[in-house]
Amino acid sequence: MAPDTRHPDKLDRAVIFLGPPGAGKGTQAKELARKYGVPHLSTGDMLREHVTKGTPLGVKAKPIMERGELVPDSLVLQMVRERIERPDCSHGFVFDGFPRTVAQAKYLGELLKQHGYKRPFVIHLAIDPSVLLPRLTGRRTCKMGGEIYNIYERPPKVAGRCDADGGELVQRPDDREEVIGPRLRAYEKQTAPLVAYYGRLGLLHSIDASKSVEEVGRQVLQSVQSVRGAR
Ligand code: AP5
């Protein structure tokens, strides 16, 4: 039986990963959520699921995501609210890709207050944009379990197959070079202001995301442990 490597303490709050496309939000958020045994909430994954299932939300979101633009708050906020009101979020959760605008951050602040959560812990994955292109064009994701690989930096043992469950590895449609530019511009314009926003609230912890996945993970865990229970 695989050893239980979950962290013995409770997370007890929302953790938010902030950073540009390819900074490593999904990679780190998944691992932190696994360690603390709490849900990993990726708004990108939720939206992609709606697109795959062809729900009314998915039909509206699909062309917007294909252009590398942000899906309007009116569609995203309700989806997030419904998700964090489920009982599995009662001991905390890890956001990846939300909030992405100041309006989303304000909405989330109110929602957390209403539900009696502590103030969120925001991890900013700081990185020079010049290293992001190979991270994004080389990314492959397991169709079954969602494990994230990179054909240049973190290849699977068998090409095209997930190490964990043998699932097929696929490339996201928005990881094509012509969509990456608009995604990076949308980040700079609409999401980067959140760094200053959370900085002013004293909730921001910046980490150098250019280091290895393991080193970034160590720093993430250290900073979460350093403030847990402090507020
Ligand atoms: P989303 O799915 O959230 O994508 P994103 O923000 O563009 O971020 P990515 O998933 O591309 O990157 P990541 O930082 O998670 O990196 P990862 O860990 O995978 O959003 C997609 C779209 O959905 C948006 O464009 C928008 O349309 C819509 N959307 C989603 N949320 C929304 C919201 N709240 N509001 C409105 N619209 C929304 O890593 C990337 C690669 O790098 C991998 O190959 C990985 O193996 C590798 N890697 C990771 N860390 C390292 C490292 N330290 N060293 C070397 N390689 C690394």
Side-chain angles (χ1 to χ4, degrees):
M1 191 199 286
D4 186 354
T5 52
R6 280 179 305 173
H7 203 273
D9 294 334
K10 283 182 182 159
L11 188 62
D12 244 5
R13 70 179 71 219
V15 174
I16 294 166
F17 276 90
L18 194 59
K25 302 181 297 295
T27 302
Q28 298 298 337
K30 247 182 215 304
E31 185 55 18
L32 186 71
R34 191 192 61 78
K35 282 203 168 94
Y36 280 97
V38 297
H40 161 227
L41 309 184
S42 157
T43 43
D45 286 349
M46 292 179 208
L47 289 166
R48 280 184 286 276
E49 200 180 326
H50 278 281
V51 171
T52 305
K53 288 182 176 160
T55 66
L57 167 54
V59 169
K60 286 186 193 143
K62 187 169 185 264
I64 301 170
M65 294 170 80
E66 282 174 352
R67 291 197 298 271
E69 295 166 10
L70 292 191
V71 174
D73 292 349
S74 55
L75 299 178
V76 172
L77 297 179
Q78 179 67 15
M79 180 182 82
V80 167
R81 181 183 197 111
E82 281 169 14
R83 182 61 189 92
I84 72 169
E85 286 177 347
R86 290 198 212 151
D88 64 341
C89 286
S90 59
H91 294 301
F93 45 91
V94 181
F95 269 130
D96 151 18
F98 183 88
R100 248 172 153 105
T101 61
V102 172
Q104 290 184 7
K106 288 183 174 164
Y107 178 87
L108 177 66
E110 283 307 311
L111 199 57
L112 294 177
K113 246 192 247 167
Q114 278 169 24
H115 288 77
Y117 285 105
K118 292 179 188 164
R119 300 210 300 162
F121 183 85
V122 184
I123 298 174
H124 170 219
L125 295 180
I127 191 155
D128 189 304
S130 63
V131 302
L132 298 174
L133 192 62
R135 286 197 182 186
L136 293 168
T137 55
R139 172 172 44 197
R140 300 291 182 274
T141 310
C142 175
K143 240 177 149 176
M144 277 161 69
E147 276 316 296
I148 302 168
Y149 295 85
N150 188 284
I151 55 171
Y152 310 120
E153 292 271 342
R154 297 172 64 77
K157 291 187 186 121
V158 177
R161 291 282 154 196
C162 177
D163 294 348
D165 56 23
E168 185 192 351
L169 301 185
V170 293
Q171 184 171 29
R172 268 170 46 179
D174 61 349
D175 277 346
R176 286 173 294 122
E177 272 194 62
E178 61 271 30
V179 191
I180 292 172
R183 285 167 63 200
L184 292 173
R185 286 193 287 280
Y187 174 80
E188 279 310 318
K189 194 169 167 206
Q190 292 166 278
T191 309
L194 288 179
V195 174
Y197 175 84
Y198 281 121
R200 279 194 297 276
L201 294 177
L203 301 175
L204 194 79
H205 302 260
S206 277
I207 286 176
D208 177 1
S210 66
K211 300 271 192 323
S212 69
V213 168
E214 294 72 22
E215 181 52 31
V216 175
R218 265 192 293 278
Q219 291 188 26
V220 165
L221 197 57
Q222 246 174 31
S223 54
V224 170
Q225 287 171 345
S226 71
V227 297
R228 249 186 24 80
R231 294 190 190 99

